[in-house]
Amino acid sequence: FEDAVAVYAQQAKALLAGGVDGFVIETMMDLQEARAALIGVKETCDYPVMVSMTFGADGRTLNGTDPVSALITLQSLGADAVGCNCSTGPQDMAKVIAAMKPYATIPLLAKPNAGMPHLVNGVTTFDMTPEEFGSHASLLVKSGAAILGGCCGTAPAYIKELKSKAISLTAAKPGEKRKAAVCSYRETVRIANDLPLTIFGGKINPSGKKELKENLLRGEIASVWKMAQEQTRHGADIIDVNVHVKGADEESLLRRAVLTAVKACGKPVAIDTVDAAAAESALRVFPGRAVLNSVTARDGDMDTMLAVAARYGAMIVCMPLDEKGVPRSSSEAIENVKKIVDHAQKYGIHPEECLVDCLMLTTSAPPAAHQCTLEIIDWCTKHRIASLCGISNLSFGLDERQWIDSTFLCMAAGRGL
């Protein structure tokens, strides 16, 4: 991945020396390669960058990425416009643009072919005339495109016709706020108060797992593959990955484990660490948009983690801990949450892109811990910020845990978890 970033940065430097005013990264079939190119350009200059994927008739790239996952990944990473080119004619491309539109906070780009190619006497031929091509301008703009062009089979006459039909049209403005959504290279998961419960799989965590801990100390992550698949089979929507073990190289391990997990199950991930370097290493290579778990209210640490999240477009988990440790009441926890959410906006991270960890403590000590958690959930629901809760922490050390956990889960979900 870093080799690819370096090669694209080299190309960007040469183009800058040639006097370009901006960049178009186009005809991309692999989302990870598109990410490498975008990072390569953005780490070279601050010129505008458009990124264009190519989608087949089935609505996915050759490597299986859907339009929404591509858009969310690339706009979160800092692209100035995203869209598609090549592969299809205007009618099929309009469907791809329409799928992206509800999630777009940047302009959408459409550069279709002049229809689909045919071989005639050994020569690739496109059947669509310039007039027919131009007639689809209205369809593309209504679908959400703000930037139009032509790809294979087109020529100056096609662009002239396209412009003549588009000149009187007005493109829809992009949305102002990103939707609360994370994705892998092939699947998007939305998280919001008005949507069904989202399940985070939290088994990939060496705390209390001797075998996993020993494997990680040896640098072995095959168990991550197995655990990611098992949790997916049991209904996990997002896979939380925590590989922190004292004495291990967390930065290297987390980077490898995150890639292993997404390859194993195709799900979005939550990158679970308090180490900023490890977080950046994993976010940099994750082929999608991840959750960074977590950002605390501790001064210094908060800014460092928010800067990393913003650089790679991650959603964040707000962990309401501060210099004093675990809050003694729900009101203290909520004040810490407010501090993180307010500060996140300075980095371009909206409240809709924040998840609040509602501090699920063991109910046997103190006995009222669950009430504190419910009060935090209530506050989150009232302010339309998504809440997150480690349900199984509640019953730690108790017998018949499933009854306690399932009962509390119903109570929490009823309050908007």
Side-chain angles (χ1 to χ4, degrees), residues 33 55 66 81 99 105 113 136 155 175 184 194 198 206 218 228 255 278 312 326-327 354 396:
E33 186 179 0
F55 298 89
D66 63 280
T105 59
N113 291 342
H136 290 94
S184 67
D194 57 348
T198 303
R218 291 193 297 268
R255 185 181 180 110
Y312 296 99
V326 179
C354 299
F396 182 77

Side-chain angles (χ1 to χ4, degrees), residues 174-293:
E176 293 183 358
K177 294 182 179 179
R178 297 175 187 165
K179 289 187 183 291
V182 291
C183 60
S184 67
Y185 65 95
R186 72 182 194 194
E187 182 177 340
T188 294
V189 174
R190 278 201 62 202
I191 306 168
N193 295 85
D194 57 348
L195 294 174
L197 202 67
T198 303
I199 306 299
F200 279 64
K203 293 287 188 181
I204 303 173
N205 186 326
S207 179
K209 298 184 181 71
K210 183 180 178 182
E211 184 180 354
L212 178 60
K213 184 177 181 179
E214 291 174 349
N215 288 343
L216 293 173
L217 280 170
R218 291 193 297 268
E220 298 173 3
I221 55 171
S223 51
V224 170
W225 181 285
K226 180 182 177 182
M227 295 170 83
Q229 290 189 331
E230 284 178 346
Q231 291 178 97
T232 300
R233 284 196 297 270
H234 283 88
D237 301 301
I238 295 168
I239 304 299
D240 190 88
V241 181
N242 183 324
V243 295
H244 176 70
V245 178
K246 188 176 181 180
D249 181 354
E250 185 178 4
E251 186 175 335
S252 174
L253 272 178
L254 190 58
R255 185 181 180 110
R256 291 169 56 211
V258 161
L259 287 174
T260 297
V262 72
K263 288 175 184 176
C265 65
K267 294 288 182 181
V269 304
I271 293 168
D272 193 343
T273 182
V274 294
D275 185 307
E280 175 153 19
S281 179
L283 284 170
R284 187 173 176 86
V285 298
F286 179 69
R289 185 191 194 199
V291 178
L292 178 56
N293 183 12

Side-chain angles (χ1 to χ4, degrees), residues 154-188:
T154 64
Y158 288 76
I159 305 304
K160 184 177 181 180
E161 281 293 327
L162 188 67
K163 182 176 180 179
S164 71
K165 296 296 189 297
I167 198 72
S168 61
L169 303 175
T170 301
K173 290 184 178 180
E176 293 183 358
K177 294 182 179 179
R178 297 175 187 165
K179 289 187 183 291
V182 291
C183 60
S184 67
Y185 65 95
R186 72 182 194 194
E187 182 177 340
T188 294

Side-chain angles (χ1 to χ4, degrees), residues 315-372:
M315 287 186 66
I316 64 167
V317 173
C318 303
M319 176 69 75
L321 308 180
D322 58 15
E323 286 79 6
K324 295 179 288 186
V326 179
R328 292 170 293 180
S329 65
S330 58
S331 59
E332 283 187 22
I334 289 166
E335 286 305 310
N336 286 340
V337 170
K338 289 179 182 177
K339 179 180 177 180
I340 300 167
V341 171
D342 290 345
H343 215 68
Q345 293 182 73
K346 298 177 183 178
Y347 290 84
I349 301 170
H350 296 285
E352 294 85 353
E353 299 172 293
C354 299
L355 294 162
V356 175
D357 189 312
C358 295
L359 292 179
M360 187 76 263
L361 302 178
T362 303
T363 197
S364 56
H370 66 282
Q371 186 59 42
C372 176

Side-chain angles (χ1 to χ4, degrees), residues 108-130:
L108 297 177
L109 160 72
K111 290 174 61 175
N113 291 342
M116 296 303 290
H118 308 281
L119 276 178
V120 179
N121 298 323
V123 177
T124 302
T125 305
F126 291 84
D127 295 336
M128 193 173 280
T129 64

